[in-house]
Amino acid sequence: MAREIITSARVTPMRSAVNHAVKAGGFVFVTGVTPFKGSERMKAEIAKGDLVAQIHQVMQNMQAILAEAGSSLDRAVKMNVALTDMTRYAEFDATFRTYFDEDNFPARQTTESARLAHPDFLVSIDCIAEA
């Protein structure tokens, strides 16, 4: 099975030993997308404390990565969401759903994570999409 490494120049480069995504077997496997805004790591911004702004940034980053792989959110089949505060689930869900047609939501699991990769992250989302 051939695999292709996917990176997007519109998304902050990864610091850890991961890529933005890997395309293989007819799918795109997107690493947990974070709410960094900007294409340069040392200049990247985070909307500190603003869950809705962070969700929008994560989804914009996700769209850029999927586009680079020749896919899109409407081809997403499974997403895993990590929230640092599950009491804000309704706020998350209301924002998340704006990125999909009502009859085309991906399968999704949402869990609470006490800490994410950066102390200011409130959300991170990974994705599997059709290529």
Side-chain angles (χ1 to χ4, degrees):
M1 169 175 19
R3 53 191 293 263
E4 178 183 351
I5 302 302
I6 306 296
T7 58
S8 173
R10 297 184 295 163
V11 178
T12 306
M14 303 301 284
R15 181 174 58 180
S16 300
V18 297
N19 294 295
H20 286 149
V22 176
K23 188 174 177 179
F27 292 95
V28 181
F29 300 87
V30 182
T31 296
V33 177
T34 65
F36 274 131
K37 179 180 182 179
S39 59
E40 295 181 49
R41 172 149 296 284
M42 299 312 290
K43 295 181 181 180
E45 302 172 8
I46 302 170
K48 294 180 183 177
D50 187 338
L51 177 62
V52 171
Q54 287 195 21
I55 296 163
H56 285 302
Q57 189 60 54
V58 165
M59 297 305 283
Q60 289 167 17
N61 292 346
M62 181 79 69
Q63 288 172 317
I65 294 165
L66 288 170
E68 192 69 36
S71 189
S72 60
L73 284 176
D74 66 333
R75 301 189 71 171
V77 295
K78 176 72 164 95
M79 295 179 128
N80 294 304
V81 179
L83 293 176
T84 58
D85 183 357
M86 202 64 148
T87 66
R88 299 182 76 181
Y89 177 84
E91 187 179 2
F92 161 77
D93 191 60
T95 306
F96 180 88
R97 70 177 40 250
T98 66
Y99 286 89
F100 299 92
D101 291 334
E102 286 292 321
D103 62 347
N104 194 36
F105 295 118
R108 184 181 86 198
Q109 179 175 355
T110 305
T111 58
E112 185 173 68
S113 180
R115 289 186 302 187
L116 296 174
H118 187 284
D120 293 320
F121 290 170
L122 301 175
V123 60
S124 177
I125 303 174
D126 69 43
C127 176
I128 300 171
E130 295 173 304

